[in-house]
Amino acid sequence: MSAAVCPAPVPTPLRDEGMRFWKQLLEECKKQIDAINRTLSAHGRSQAEHVECRAGEELDLIRSVYPSTRGKISIAFEHWGPVIRICITGQQRPNFGFHKEELEMPVATDGDGSIVAVFDEGRSLCPRELACFLTQRFRRCFPGITLPCPDAPHS
């Protein structure tokens, strides 16, 4: 008989770092969605056209009316550490969808000691920068409106 092999648990410091990053990301996304919705209101858009932010086990960023966009974001804990999983979908109109984006960003400690999500060949994003990356996906829903991204890094 062979014993069942259980995956190694995520070391506590990595779990703590991942959860700290996750909580900061949730707060930053809420702030940025609020800023986007204030901008939409200032441009005469009704609340039905606003973006929703639902935070729980997963983070859902949703605009239901066409053109629609939905970001489903979650944190997972692999044996090697935490990872942010992202799936962004949407539709320009019924039966015509946008290209689906699926990303995984490991959470790590940067050289300066900050906790970051690692993206695209080692580029690191703090929670505020990742929130901006996610919320700016809603630009395609509002082509004539510049959406705010507080304190966004300059590229």
Side-chain angles (χ1 to χ4, degrees), residues 53-131:
C53 180
R54 298 179 191 159
E57 291 286 317
E58 290 185 336
L59 172 63
D60 280 323
L61 305 175
I62 306 164
R63 180 170 191 264
S64 304
V65 296
Y66 297 111
S68 68
T69 293
R70 181 175 190 175
K72 289 182 68 78
I73 302 94
S74 63
I75 187 166
F77 294 93
E78 301 294 342
H79 65 89
W80 45 265
V83 62
I84 302 294
R85 293 195 171 125
I86 301 165
C87 180
I88 300 172
T89 58
Q91 292 188 281
Q92 178 68 35
R93 58 185 177 274
N95 301 318
F96 186 74
F98 292 115
H99 176 72
K100 182 179 185 177
E101 294 179 78
E102 292 182 294
L103 306 163
E104 287 193 349
M105 296 182 189
V107 176
T109 303
D110 209 358
D112 65 0
S114 62
I115 302 168
V116 296
V118 181
F119 172 64
D120 197 27
E121 296 184 22
R123 180 173 174 216
S124 58
L125 303 173
C126 70
R128 177 185 40 78
E129 292 167 330
L130 181 52

Side-chain angles (χ1 to χ4, degrees), residues 8-20:
V10 175
T12 301
L14 295 176
R15 178 174 273 290
D16 293 345
E17 287 177 354
M19 288 310 297
R20 190 165 52 248

Side-chain angles (χ1 to χ4, degrees), residues 19-36:
M19 288 310 297
R20 190 165 52 248
F21 185 92
W22 180 250
K23 288 176 185 172
Q24 291 172 0
L25 177 62
L26 294 178
E27 288 306 311
E28 290 294 334
C29 282
K30 288 176 189 176
K31 287 179 195 175
Q32 292 187 27
I33 292 297
D34 286 345
I36 287 170

